Structure formats: C-alpha cells, structure tokens
Amino acid sequence: MAFPLLTLTAAVPAVGAVATAAVPAGRRTAAKWLALAFSLATLALAAVQLVRFDPGTKGPFQLTESHAWIADFGVRYELGVDGIAVVLIGLAALLIPFIMLAGWHDADPRAASDSGSAADGSSRWRPVQGFFALILMVEAMVVISFEATDVFLFYIFFEAMLIPMYFLIGGFGDGAAGQGDAGAAAQRSYAAVKFLLYNLVGGLIMLAAVIGLYAVTADQLGAGTFSLQEIVQARAAGKLDIATTTERALFLGFFFAFAVKAPLWPLHTWLPNAMGEATAPVAVLITAVVDKVGTFAMLRFCLQLFPEASKWATPVIVVLSLISILYGALLAVGQRDIKRLVAYASISHFGFIVLGIFAMTSQGQSGATLYMVNHGVSTAALMLVAGFLISRRGSRLIADYGGVQKVAPVLAGTFLVGGLATLSLPGLAPFVSEFLVLVGTFSRYPVAGGIATLGIVLAALYILVLYQRTMTGPVKAEVRGMPDLRARELAVVAPLIAVLLFLGVYPKPLTEILDPAVRHTMSQVHQADPKPDVNDVEAAK
C-alpha cells in the first residue's frame, strides 16, 4: 500500500491541535513552541508533496488514496491533488508558522483596562493553548479540503472549519477598536456570529445540492456516488446525463456556498466585520488561507461537475466579479480603519480571481490560480505589518497615525512593500497573476477586461493614500516613541517579502505546476482559448 502522504499532511496539524490543547495551563510558552513545531512539520510534509508531484504525469490527480468509508451511501475516503491543490496546500502550510509567530503574544493574559473587572491587578486569562490549537485545527481542515476528491468528504471539512474560525474571531479580538472591553467583546461576537451564519446558510444550500447530485447518480448509475472522478468519467462516457435544469440548480447550490466563502459580492459583507474584529494573524488566516477554499472549489467542483451550467452562468458571474472588483476598491478608498481597508481590498482581489476563473481562458485561469497564492502572501505581509503597527499604537484608525517612517523606518518600509504588492506593482508577485487575469479576460470579454482595469487604478489610490496618511508627514505625539520591528517580527515579514520578490521576477516554478491542472479543467468544460481575429491582426500590421 502506498504511503499515505496526503492523510499524514492533514493529520499532523490535527494531532498538533490536540497536543497543544492538552498542555498544562501554566506552560504557555511550551504550548506555543509545540504548536509551531507541528506547523513546521506540516510545512515539511507539504514540501514533500511538491517534490513528489510530477506536472508531466497524465491523469487529473496524484498521490491518491481511496478507501471505503460509508459504503451504503457511496461515501469514500478519497484524496488526491492536482497542481492547483498541491500549491495551495503549500501556501497554507507556509503561512501558518508566520501567523503563529505574528500572534505569539495575542492570547497572553492581559490586565483588564476600563471595565474595572480586574482592578485588583489580577490578570484576565486568555487561553494560549486554545488559540494555537484552533489555528492548527483550521490548518488541518483546510489541507484536507484541498485534498478531498469525494464531494461528501469535502463538504464535511468545508463546513467543519467554521467552528474553530468562529472561536478565533469571537474569542481573540485585537482590543484596538476604541471601545471599552464590553463594547469590543460585543463587536467580536457580532462579527463571529455573522461569519458563522453567512457560511452556514451557504453550506446548507450546498448540502441540498450535494444530496441532489447523489440522487441523480443513484438514479442513472444504479448506485449513488460522491466520487468526483467517477462522476466526471461517467459523464464523459455518456453514462450520466444530467438534465439541463437539474444541472443548473445543482451548480447554483455549489456556487452559492463557494461565493460566500470566496467572498463574492453581494455575499461578502461578513468579511470586513470578521477581519476588523479578529487579531491581525487571524485576519490573515481568514483571507489568505480559509477563503482560498472557496475559489479553489469553484475550479474543482463547479467547473468539473457542471461544465454546461458553468458556461451558462458565466455572464452573470463575470458581472458579479466586476462589481466585487470596483465595489471593494471604492469602499477601501473611503475607509478610516486600516484592517477594514485591507478587508475591502481583499474583496476586490477575490473579484479578480473569480473573473479569471470564469473568463474560461487558459491565461485567465492560470492567472487566477497564481493570484490565489500571490494574494495570500501579499495580504499576509501587509496585514501582519499593519497588526504590528496597531499593537504599538492601540488603534486601527488611520487618522491616529502620522510620521511613522521617521521613528520606525523598517516598519514603514515593509508596510510600503506589502502595500505595493497589494496594488500589483511590476516586479512583485501579484502583478504577474493580475496581468494574466486581465489578458485572459480581454481575449474573450474585452469590455469586462477594460472595466476590471479600473480596479488597478483604485488600488493605487487606496494603498498610496493609506501610506501617506500613516507613514509620512509630521510625527504625531502618540507615535513619537514607537519602536521599530523586533527580531521576531522581522522573522515574520522578511521571508514573505522575499517570496513576493522572487515570484515577481520568476513565477515559472509555480506556473509549471499549475498550468497542466488548468488545461485539464479547461478540457472538462470543453473550452478552448479564443483565436485572434484575422481582420484585427491584419489591421495591426
């Protein structure tokens, strides 16, 4: 029997979560180092996956595992990775150690402030073990979601990851909202409940579609199945013919859940609240890791299970993507809260990703898959540095800063690089992916491509204005004694900036892995890149 590498990659952080949670209450530092060790072990296993993955191998999935699970209902424990999945697993495994290091003290006991509940000098307990255990549990569920090729297995972990995320958002806020302890706790609870409700509603609609898919396969194949490969092969062989109306309804059920997770306008409103009230590392976990499951699932399940319905829905989804791009960017321009600005910028970026997926071109989908990685790294760099800034001043409001570059030049410089990556400056990683998305969109939908470019202009506006208002100008009295980045914080930011620079000038190592998976997806949807118009070529000459 082959070595179960995929199972092990998901099991290590899950075991780490249990082990971290079991550390005695007085051993907080030991719990942190134990969690970090498990995250690094997961990163090592993800690296092994990348090394063992061969982009030239025929077939959609590699490193596969398949075992009977609930045989009476056609549920199997099936895992496999294509180029997109293996890269996104690498992204998640890479970011988790940095998230932990950035949040090293986020769950430490702290004295109560203005509530008066700890006026005697005693400390308020914040469960360090729980904080780091929850992060590892989210990582385990994200990894197995990327690996699952059984629809029901995917659904279980797609929904289960909401539970640890709910507690991370609701239980560990940054305390920098300008309210008292009671007000901050109420805002965190509101954000956590909103996150949970939105995603649960999406998940329930998807569950109905999952059951409907099983019923269709049971009716036409004689035995119901949730296996992605079996369903795709049965459709290719003509054994499974889903009626047009049924296919469209099933597609909408899946897409709705993924659009909530992505998040795509108008299902996005939970994200600014969640990212604003969570700590900066948890905000990175949300948008750079968890939300990628939504866009990934659009490629793996929506397009491959329902190819005709995907093409039918494309015009509407392209419009929604354009609204996300412009709406997110415009609201980012008007934000007064640093973290909410980054949240709305992420909504705009996810619009680009979804646009690339449903442009139905190889360049667009290659750009979208690469954008998932680049957005994760750039947002992590920007948000984590913003978190370091906020922790020093105790405020998320842009107006409370000014002249930071004069007292903390390294912090300001790394903040600038993260911001420039967010606006897709040439030479930094997001530029390559955004360029591919726009090229792929232009080739099939030139008007949509033209509209999408406005998002780039607005990105330059909100990022440069943010930097100008916080880092330049006279030094405000409240930031005069602000310390620069410490060694631990530099250890978090420097590798992320190095990745942004490397992938900005040499993205080939990733595109070589991603492109075969993109071509396979395009073939499943029966789409080819549009050919250049001969008249346009002659006119150009």
Side-chain angles (χ1 to χ4, degrees):
M1 189 169 82
F3 181 73
L5 178 60
L6 300 189
T7 295
L8 189 61
T9 307
V12 165
V15 172
V18 175
T20 301
V23 173
R27 305 291 301 275
R28 295 190 295 271
T29 302
K32 295 175 184 179
W33 284 108
L34 181 64
L36 182 62
F38 272 100
S39 72
L40 292 173
T42 307
L43 177 59
L45 290 170
V48 173
Q49 284 192 28
L50 282 166
V51 170
R52 291 186 58 183
F53 186 85
D54 181 7
T57 299
K58 292 183 179 180
F61 301 113
Q62 299 180 38
L63 308 176
T64 55
E65 302 174 29
S66 181
H67 307 282
W69 184 19
I70 310 175
D72 291 344
F73 295 98
V75 181
R76 297 186 61 82
Y77 178 80
E78 282 192 349
L79 305 179
V81 290
D82 56 8
I84 301 169
V86 77
V87 167
L88 291 178
I89 290 168
L91 171 68
L94 174 68
L95 291 181
I96 293 298
F98 296 124
I99 288 171
M100 288 185 174
L101 283 172
W104 200 250
H105 298 299
D106 284 358
D108 287 348
R110 62 188 179 118
S113 53
D114 58 340
S115 68
S117 60
D120 60 353
S122 62
S123 294
R124 174 174 304 155
W125 173 248
R126 304 187 77 194
V128 172
Q129 290 86 338
F131 180 74
F132 287 91
L134 288 170
I135 292 175
L136 285 172
M137 189 57 66
V138 171
E139 180 181 22
M141 293 177 178
V142 168
V143 168
I144 202 165
S145 296
F146 288 140
E147 295 173 343
T149 58
D150 181 277
V151 176
F152 191 80
L153 179 66
F154 168 84
Y155 175 79
I156 289 175
F157 291 99
F158 179 79
E159 287 295 282
M161 70 179 71
L162 301 180
I163 299 171
M165 284 307 309
Y166 169 81
F167 288 108
L168 283 169
I169 296 168
F172 300 92
D174 63 11
Q179 309 116 333
D181 283 356
Q187 288 297 318
R188 290 198 304 272
S189 296
Y190 172 78
V193 170
K194 189 173 184 179
F195 162 83
L196 188 65
L197 289 178
Y198 267 67
N199 284 275
L200 277 178
V201 170
L204 289 173
I205 293 173
M206 180 182 171
L207 178 60
V210 169
I211 295 171
L213 179 65
Y214 177 83
V216 170
T217 59
D219 179 60
Q220 297 193 29
L221 301 179
T225 181
F226 293 102
S227 171
L228 174 64
Q229 294 187 78
E230 288 183 14
I231 295 171
V232 170
Q233 290 170 1
R235 297 203 68 170
K239 298 178 181 179
L240 179 63
D241 183 17
I242 305 177
T244 300
T245 303
T246 303
E247 180 177 345
R248 291 176 179 178
L250 295 177
F251 167 85
L252 291 174
F254 276 72
F255 180 80
F256 185 89
F258 303 151
V260 172
K261 186 84 78 180
L264 186 69
W265 184 92
L267 306 172
H268 67 285
T269 60
W270 62 268
L271 183 66
N273 295 99
M275 289 184 66
E277 299 305 324
T279 64
V282 172
V284 171
L285 185 64
I286 294 169
T287 190
V289 178
V290 172
D291 288 353
K292 298 300 184 296
V293 178
T295 48
F296 163 80
M298 291 179 189
L299 283 162
R300 172 165 284 190
F301 296 106
C302 284
L303 267 61
Q304 297 193 44
L305 287 173
F306 316 112
E308 297 305 318
S310 297
K311 289 186 283 188
W312 162 76
T314 288
V316 174
I317 295 173
V318 167
V319 171
L320 295 178
S321 301
L322 293 174
I323 295 174
S324 288
I325 292 170
L326 299 180
Y327 172 87
L330 285 170
L331 265 67
V333 171
Q335 287 304 305
R336 296 180 296 173
D337 182 311
I338 297 173
K339 290 168 71 176
R340 289 179 70 91
L341 185 151
V342 179
Y344 280 109
S346 289
I347 292 170
S348 181
H349 296 152
F350 274 105
F352 276 107
I353 294 172
V354 177
L355 179 65
I357 292 172
F358 284 90
M360 299 292 184
T361 61
S362 57
Q363 299 100 325
Q365 291 191 359
S366 293
T369 53
L370 186 61
Y371 211 150
M372 293 184 210
V373 178
N374 294 338
H375 170 264
V377 179
S378 63
T379 300
L382 179 61
M383 179 59 89
L384 292 179
V385 177
F388 299 149
L389 178 69
I390 292 167
S391 68
R392 285 158 165 76
R393 174 67 177 83
S395 174
R396 303 198 308 248
L397 298 179
I398 297 172
D400 288 341
Y401 296 88
V404 174
Q405 66 180 11
K406 297 177 182 177
V407 296
V410 178
L411 187 154
T414 53
F415 189 81
L416 178 61
V417 174
L420 293 176
T422 299
L423 64 82
S424 300
L425 184 76
L428 295 173
F431 169 77
V432 181
S433 46
E434 198 164 278
F435 177 78
L436 286 172
V437 167
L438 291 173
V439 169
T441 304
F442 267 116
S443 64
R444 193 178 295 278
Y445 304 107
V447 174
I451 295 172
T453 56
L454 296 176
I456 302 175
V457 178
L458 293 171
L461 179 62
Y462 61 71
I463 289 296
L464 295 178
V465 169
L466 171 65
Y467 184 83
Q468 180 189 38
R469 292 177 177 175
T470 55
M471 302 297 166
T472 66
V475 179
K476 290 200 171 184
E478 295 83 359
V479 304
R480 197 174 300 279
M482 181 178 291
D484 213 334
L485 291 183
R486 304 178 179 91
R488 172 181 58 84
E489 295 166 336
L490 280 171
V492 171
V493 178
L496 296 175
I497 291 177
V499 172
L500 290 172
L501 291 169
F502 176 78
L503 294 179
V505 297
Y506 191 62
K508 185 178 179 182
L510 289 186
T511 56
E512 284 185 336
I513 299 174
L514 294 169
D515 286 351
V518 168
R519 289 194 294 270
H520 172 75
T521 303
M522 290 281 291
S523 68
Q524 293 297 315
V525 191
H526 310 295
Q527 284 280 29
D529 290 332
K531 296 180 179 179
D533 191 298
V534 176
N535 294 327
D536 290 343
V537 174
E538 291 297 328
K541 292 181 179 179

mmCIF file of all heavy atoms in Angstrom, residues 84-110:
data_model
loop_
_atom_site.group_PDB
_atom_site.id
_atom_site.type_symbol
_atom_site.label_atom_id
_atom_site.label_comp_id
_atom_site.label_asym_id
_atom_site.label_seq_id
_atom_site.Cartn_x
_atom_site.Cartn_y
_atom_site.Cartn_z
ATOM 1 N N ILE A 84 -3.070 22.598 -8.782
ATOM 2 C CA ILE A 84 -3.658 23.710 -8.025
ATOM 3 C C ILE A 84 -3.711 23.369 -6.541
ATOM 4 O O ILE A 84 -3.322 24.171 -5.688
ATOM 5 C CB ILE A 84 -5.063 24.038 -8.562
ATOM 6 C CG1 ILE A 84 -4.989 24.410 -10.046
ATOM 7 C CG2 ILE A 84 -5.699 25.174 -7.756
ATOM 8 C CD1 ILE A 84 -6.342 24.485 -10.729
ATOM 9 N N ALA A 85 -4.171 22.166 -6.221
ATOM 10 C CA ALA A 85 -4.314 21.769 -4.822
ATOM 11 C C ALA A 85 -2.964 21.708 -4.121
ATOM 12 O O ALA A 85 -2.814 22.178 -2.989
ATOM 13 C CB ALA A 85 -5.020 20.424 -4.736
ATOM 14 N N VAL A 86 -1.958 21.127 -4.781
ATOM 15 C CA VAL A 86 -0.668 20.942 -4.112
ATOM 16 C C VAL A 86 -0.002 22.291 -3.833
ATOM 17 O O VAL A 86 0.664 22.475 -2.804
ATOM 18 C CB VAL A 86 0.245 20.011 -4.944
ATOM 19 C CG1 VAL A 86 0.850 20.731 -6.144
ATOM 20 C CG2 VAL A 86 1.346 19.409 -4.083
ATOM 21 N N VAL A 87 -0.212 23.260 -4.712
ATOM 22 C CA VAL A 87 0.356 24.591 -4.490
ATOM 23 C C VAL A 87 -0.379 25.311 -3.359
ATOM 24 O O VAL A 87 0.244 25.970 -2.514
ATOM 25 C CB VAL A 87 0.311 25.413 -5.795
ATOM 26 C CG1 VAL A 87 0.595 26.879 -5.522
ATOM 27 C CG2 VAL A 87 1.322 24.866 -6.795
ATOM 28 N N LEU A 88 -1.700 25.188 -3.308
ATOM 29 C CA LEU A 88 -2.460 25.850 -2.249
ATOM 30 C C LEU A 88 -2.204 25.207 -0.887
ATOM 31 O O LEU A 88 -2.221 25.895 0.143
ATOM 32 C CB LEU A 88 -3.950 25.840 -2.576
ATOM 33 C CG LEU A 88 -4.357 26.732 -3.754
ATOM 34 C CD1 LEU A 88 -5.849 26.606 -4.032
ATOM 35 C CD2 LEU A 88 -3.997 28.189 -3.488
ATOM 36 N N ILE A 89 -1.967 23.905 -0.861
ATOM 37 C CA ILE A 89 -1.560 23.264 0.395
ATOM 38 C C ILE A 89 -0.218 23.835 0.846
ATOM 39 O O ILE A 89 -0.009 24.130 2.034
ATOM 40 C CB ILE A 89 -1.472 21.734 0.221
ATOM 41 C CG1 ILE A 89 -2.876 21.141 0.040
ATOM 42 C CG2 ILE A 89 -0.781 21.079 1.421
ATOM 43 C CD1 ILE A 89 -2.880 19.697 -0.412
ATOM 44 N N GLY A 90 0.682 24.032 -0.114
ATOM 45 C CA GLY A 90 1.965 24.648 0.210
ATOM 46 C C GLY A 90 1.794 26.059 0.744
ATOM 47 O O GLY A 90 2.488 26.467 1.687
ATOM 48 N N LEU A 91 0.872 26.825 0.148
ATOM 49 C CA LEU A 91 0.608 28.181 0.629
ATOM 50 C C LEU A 91 0.115 28.164 2.075
ATOM 51 O O LEU A 91 0.620 28.917 2.924
ATOM 52 C CB LEU A 91 -0.437 28.857 -0.257
ATOM 53 C CG LEU A 91 -0.983 30.204 0.241
ATOM 54 C CD1 LEU A 91 0.094 31.273 0.193
ATOM 55 C CD2 LEU A 91 -2.207 30.628 -0.563
ATOM 56 N N ALA A 92 -0.864 27.320 2.369
ATOM 57 C CA ALA A 92 -1.402 27.255 3.726
ATOM 58 C C ALA A 92 -0.329 26.838 4.723
ATOM 59 O O ALA A 92 -0.189 27.439 5.800
ATOM 60 C CB ALA A 92 -2.579 26.268 3.771
ATOM 61 N N ALA A 93 0.441 25.812 4.358
ATOM 62 C CA ALA A 93 1.492 25.328 5.260
ATOM 63 C C ALA A 93 2.581 26.368 5.461
ATOM 64 O O ALA A 93 3.183 26.449 6.535
ATOM 65 C CB ALA A 93 2.080 24.032 4.714
ATOM 66 N N LEU A 94 2.853 27.175 4.439
ATOM 67 C CA LEU A 94 3.872 28.222 4.557
ATOM 68 C C LEU A 94 3.409 29.348 5.476
ATOM 69 O O LEU A 94 4.195 29.862 6.293
ATOM 70 C CB LEU A 94 4.186 28.787 3.170
ATOM 71 C CG LEU A 94 5.129 29.999 3.119
ATOM 72 C CD1 LEU A 94 6.541 29.593 3.546
ATOM 73 C CD2 LEU A 94 5.145 30.615 1.727
ATOM 74 N N LEU A 95 2.150 29.736 5.367
ATOM 75 C CA LEU A 95 1.678 30.898 6.112
ATOM 76 C C LEU A 95 1.409 30.607 7.591
ATOM 77 O O LEU A 95 1.555 31.505 8.430
ATOM 78 C CB LEU A 95 0.397 31.441 5.463
ATOM 79 C CG LEU A 95 0.560 32.088 4.080
ATOM 80 C CD1 LEU A 95 -0.788 32.590 3.573
ATOM 81 C CD2 LEU A 95 1.569 33.232 4.123
ATOM 82 N N ILE A 96 1.026 29.388 7.918
ATOM 83 C CA ILE A 96 0.643 29.099 9.305
ATOM 84 C C ILE A 96 1.777 29.383 10.301
ATOM 85 O O ILE A 96 1.539 30.016 11.346
ATOM 86 C CB ILE A 96 0.136 27.653 9.436
ATOM 87 C CG1 ILE A 96 -1.187 27.477 8.678
ATOM 88 C CG2 ILE A 96 -0.051 27.284 10.916
ATOM 89 C CD1 ILE A 96 -2.320 28.329 9.179
ATOM 90 N N PRO A 97 3.033 28.966 10.054
ATOM 91 C CA PRO A 97 4.083 29.319 11.021
ATOM 92 C C PRO A 97 4.249 30.818 11.197
ATOM 93 O O PRO A 97 4.485 31.302 12.320
ATOM 94 C CB PRO A 97 5.347 28.683 10.415
ATOM 95 C CG PRO A 97 4.850 27.570 9.555
ATOM 96 C CD PRO A 97 3.553 28.074 9.002
ATOM 97 N N PHE A 98 4.128 31.590 10.110
ATOM 98 C CA PHE A 98 4.241 33.041 10.224
ATOM 99 C C PHE A 98 3.049 33.632 10.987
ATOM 100 O O PHE A 98 3.204 34.600 11.743
ATOM 101 C CB PHE A 98 4.348 33.671 8.837
ATOM 102 C CG PHE A 98 5.590 33.265 8.103
ATOM 103 C CD1 PHE A 98 5.518 32.684 6.847
ATOM 104 C CD2 PHE A 98 6.848 33.457 8.661
ATOM 105 C CE1 PHE A 98 6.664 32.309 6.169
ATOM 106 C CE2 PHE A 98 7.996 33.088 7.987
ATOM 107 C CZ PHE A 98 7.911 32.500 6.744
ATOM 108 N N ILE A 99 1.875 33.063 10.776
ATOM 109 C CA ILE A 99 0.698 33.506 11.527
ATOM 110 C C ILE A 99 0.912 33.275 13.018
ATOM 111 O O ILE A 99 0.591 34.125 13.854
ATOM 112 C CB ILE A 99 -0.557 32.770 11.012
ATOM 113 C CG1 ILE A 99 -0.946 33.292 9.620
ATOM 114 C CG2 ILE A 99 -1.722 32.910 11.989
ATOM 115 C CD1 ILE A 99 -2.036 32.493 8.945
ATOM 116 N N MET A 100 1.474 32.120 13.353
ATOM 117 C CA MET A 100 1.724 31.826 14.771
ATOM 118 C C MET A 100 2.761 32.761 15.360
ATOM 119 O O MET A 100 2.595 33.274 16.480
ATOM 120 C CB MET A 100 2.175 30.368 14.920
ATOM 121 C CG MET A 100 1.082 29.355 14.696
ATOM 122 S SD MET A 100 1.670 27.688 15.034
ATOM 123 C CE MET A 100 0.139 26.765 14.863
ATOM 124 N N LEU A 101 3.844 32.982 14.643
ATOM 125 C CA LEU A 101 4.880 33.880 15.155
ATOM 126 C C LEU A 101 4.352 35.299 15.313
ATOM 127 O O LEU A 101 4.660 35.989 16.293
ATOM 128 C CB LEU A 101 6.082 33.873 14.213
ATOM 129 C CG LEU A 101 7.019 32.660 14.305
ATOM 130 C CD1 LEU A 101 8.054 32.698 13.189
ATOM 131 C CD2 LEU A 101 7.708 32.618 15.668
ATOM 132 N N ALA A 102 3.551 35.747 14.337
ATOM 133 C CA ALA A 102 2.993 37.095 14.427
ATOM 134 C C ALA A 102 2.036 37.221 15.599
ATOM 135 O O ALA A 102 1.937 38.277 16.227
ATOM 136 C CB ALA A 102 2.278 37.457 13.125
ATOM 137 N N GLY A 103 1.324 36.156 15.905
ATOM 138 C CA GLY A 103 0.369 36.182 17.006
ATOM 139 C C GLY A 103 0.910 35.570 18.287
ATOM 140 O O GLY A 103 0.124 35.090 19.120
ATOM 141 N N TRP A 104 2.224 35.603 18.447
ATOM 142 C CA TRP A 104 2.887 34.927 19.566
ATOM 143 C C TRP A 104 2.339 35.368 20.917
ATOM 144 O O TRP A 104 2.226 34.570 21.855
ATOM 145 C CB TRP A 104 4.380 35.183 19.488
ATOM 146 C CG TRP A 104 5.247 34.217 20.239
ATOM 147 C CD1 TRP A 104 5.968 34.467 21.374
ATOM 148 C CD2 TRP A 104 5.496 32.848 19.899
ATOM 149 N NE1 TRP A 104 6.660 33.347 21.760
ATOM 150 C CE2 TRP A 104 6.388 32.323 20.865
ATOM 151 C CE3 TRP A 104 5.067 32.002 18.879
ATOM 152 C CZ2 TRP A 104 6.848 31.015 20.851
ATOM 153 C CZ3 TRP A 104 5.519 30.693 18.851
ATOM 154 C CH2 TRP A 104 6.392 30.212 19.826
ATOM 155 N N HIS A 105 1.998 36.646 21.040
ATOM 156 C CA HIS A 105 1.518 37.167 22.323
ATOM 157 C C HIS A 105 0.038 37.563 22.280
ATOM 158 O O HIS A 105 -0.459 38.175 23.238
ATOM 159 C CB HIS A 105 2.349 38.383 22.732
ATOM 160 C CG HIS A 105 3.797 38.080 22.942
ATOM 161 N ND1 HIS A 105 4.252 37.195 23.890
ATOM 162 C CD2 HIS A 105 4.918 38.537 22.284
ATOM 163 C CE1 HIS A 105 5.568 37.112 23.835
ATOM 164 N NE2 HIS A 105 5.997 37.916 22.878
ATOM 165 N N ASP A 106 -0.660 37.229 21.207
ATOM 166 C CA ASP A 106 -2.046 37.688 21.063
ATOM 167 C C ASP A 106 -2.997 37.070 22.074
ATOM 168 O O ASP A 106 -4.050 37.647 22.373
ATOM 169 C CB ASP A 106 -2.557 37.396 19.645
ATOM 170 C CG ASP A 106 -2.010 38.369 18.620
ATOM 171 O OD1 ASP A 106 -1.264 39.291 19.020
ATOM 172 O OD2 ASP A 106 -2.313 38.224 17.420
ATOM 173 N N ALA A 107 -2.667 35.897 22.582
ATOM 174 C CA ALA A 107 -3.563 35.233 23.533
ATOM 175 C C ALA A 107 -2.992 35.220 24.950
ATOM 176 O O ALA A 107 -3.534 34.547 25.826
ATOM 177 C CB ALA A 107 -3.838 33.799 23.075
ATOM 178 N N ASP A 108 -1.904 35.956 25.165
ATOM 179 C CA ASP A 108 -1.326 36.011 26.507
ATOM 180 C C ASP A 108 -2.291 36.673 27.480
ATOM 181 O O ASP A 108 -3.096 37.521 27.087
ATOM 182 C CB ASP A 108 -0.015 36.795 26.493
ATOM 183 C CG ASP A 108 1.119 36.013 25.848
ATOM 184 O OD1 ASP A 108 0.943 34.803 25.618
ATOM 185 O OD2 ASP A 108 2.174 36.610 25.571
ATOM 186 N N PRO A 109 -2.202 36.333 28.772
ATOM 187 C CA PRO A 109 -3.036 37.026 29.766
ATOM 188 C C PRO A 109 -2.732 38.517 29.744
ATOM 189 O O PRO A 109 -1.590 38.931 29.555
ATOM 190 C CB PRO A 109 -2.588 36.399 31.095
ATOM 191 C CG PRO A 109 -1.993 35.086 30.718
ATOM 192 C CD PRO A 109 -1.374 35.281 29.373
ATOM 193 N N ARG A 110 -3.765 39.325 29.905
ATOM 194 C CA ARG A 110 -3.582 40.770 29.914
ATOM 195 C C ARG A 110 -4.429 41.363 31.020
ATOM 196 O O ARG A 110 -5.480 40.845 31.373
ATOM 197 C CB ARG A 110 -3.980 41.387 28.567
ATOM 198 C CG ARG A 110 -5.439 41.190 28.202
ATOM 199 C CD ARG A 110 -5.717 41.652 26.788
ATOM 200 N NE ARG A 110 -7.114 41.429 26.454
ATOM 201 C CZ ARG A 110 -7.972 42.391 26.153
ATOM 202 N NH1 ARG A 110 -7.576 43.641 26.169
ATOM 203 N NH2 ARG A 110 -9.207 42.116 25.845
#
